[in-house]
Amino acid sequence: MCLKEGALAANIMLLTTLAQDAIIASLLIILSYIVGSIPFGIVIGKGICKIDIREHGSKNIGTTNAIRVLGKKVGFLVFFCDVFKGMFVILIIKLLQYFSIWQTPCDVFFYGAAAIIGHCFSIFLKFKGGKAVATSLGVVLVLTPIPAIACLVIFLIILYSTGYVSLASTGATITVIATTWILYGFGVDPTNFLNYFIAKPSLLVSVLYSILSLLIIFKHFKNYKRLLNHTESNFKKKKQKMNVE
């Protein structure tokens, strides 16, 4: 009888712990979505420049339009804030895990995915939003640094050579997919700090990276149409035009 009561008590404690973990994880995912939903392009544009970037340029809330409308300094501030949105909750969870305070019952990627979805479908913008390139970079940077660094390099190369941010973003997105699967095949276990940079991502993360990368590419379809029609905004040509003037 005592053994049965002890087993029952242990099962109840286990179920209670699982329920608590599930509740905490759900709240953190909701928090990540809300943070991801913050339209920093609009908040910073109105707060610093008194400009709503939705009424200017491409009317997009992301970094490219922010730089075009608000200038480089404010535009890059928007970029860093959008990147940090993707990292915020993941960094909190990693700190909780490091100090053995709490262990997440699901893959940390899901918290980053919530931030990305928040940026694309913001609760503050009637479930509309941006393309989530910068926010996705934040997620990738904190989880898999090598794909993040590789995509930044490719982004800069394509942007410098063509002047098209949409092409650079697409190239960077494809680079993330490619490098992630390469690491999945040849990466190592993250037993120390250096190994963290070449750590093997899980199959789940590799698949989900690919799915979200396809979402980013899908969000650029309008840009591809403008590229085909030769109406896409070009930073290189814009700079040349300013120099001529």
Side-chain angles (χ1 to χ4, degrees), residues 18-93:
L18 291 174
Q20 288 175 344
D21 287 344
I23 291 170
I24 294 170
S26 299
L27 291 174
L28 286 172
I29 286 175
I30 293 170
L31 173 63
S32 188
Y33 171 76
I34 292 172
V35 172
S37 290
I38 300 173
F40 281 109
I42 298 173
V43 173
I44 294 173
K46 286 185 175 182
I48 296 177
C49 304
K50 310 302 179 185
I51 294 174
D52 187 340
I53 63 172
R54 293 174 296 179
E55 298 173 356
H56 303 274
S58 66
K59 298 178 174 57
N60 192 274
I61 65 170
T63 300
T64 304
N65 198 41
I67 292 174
R68 185 183 295 117
V69 175
L70 308 175
K72 288 183 179 179
K73 289 182 180 179
V74 178
F76 278 114
L77 176 60
V78 172
F79 170 75
F80 287 120
C81 288
D82 281 348
V83 169
F84 188 69
K85 290 195 304 187
M87 305 172 67
F88 180 66
V89 171
I90 295 176
L91 289 174
I92 291 175
I93 291 168

Side-chain angles (χ1 to χ4, degrees), residues 200-215:
K200 178 179 180 177
S202 66
L203 177 60
L204 177 65
V205 166
S206 302
V207 170
L208 292 175
Y209 267 19
S210 301
I211 292 171
L212 280 172
S213 295
L214 291 175
L215 172 62

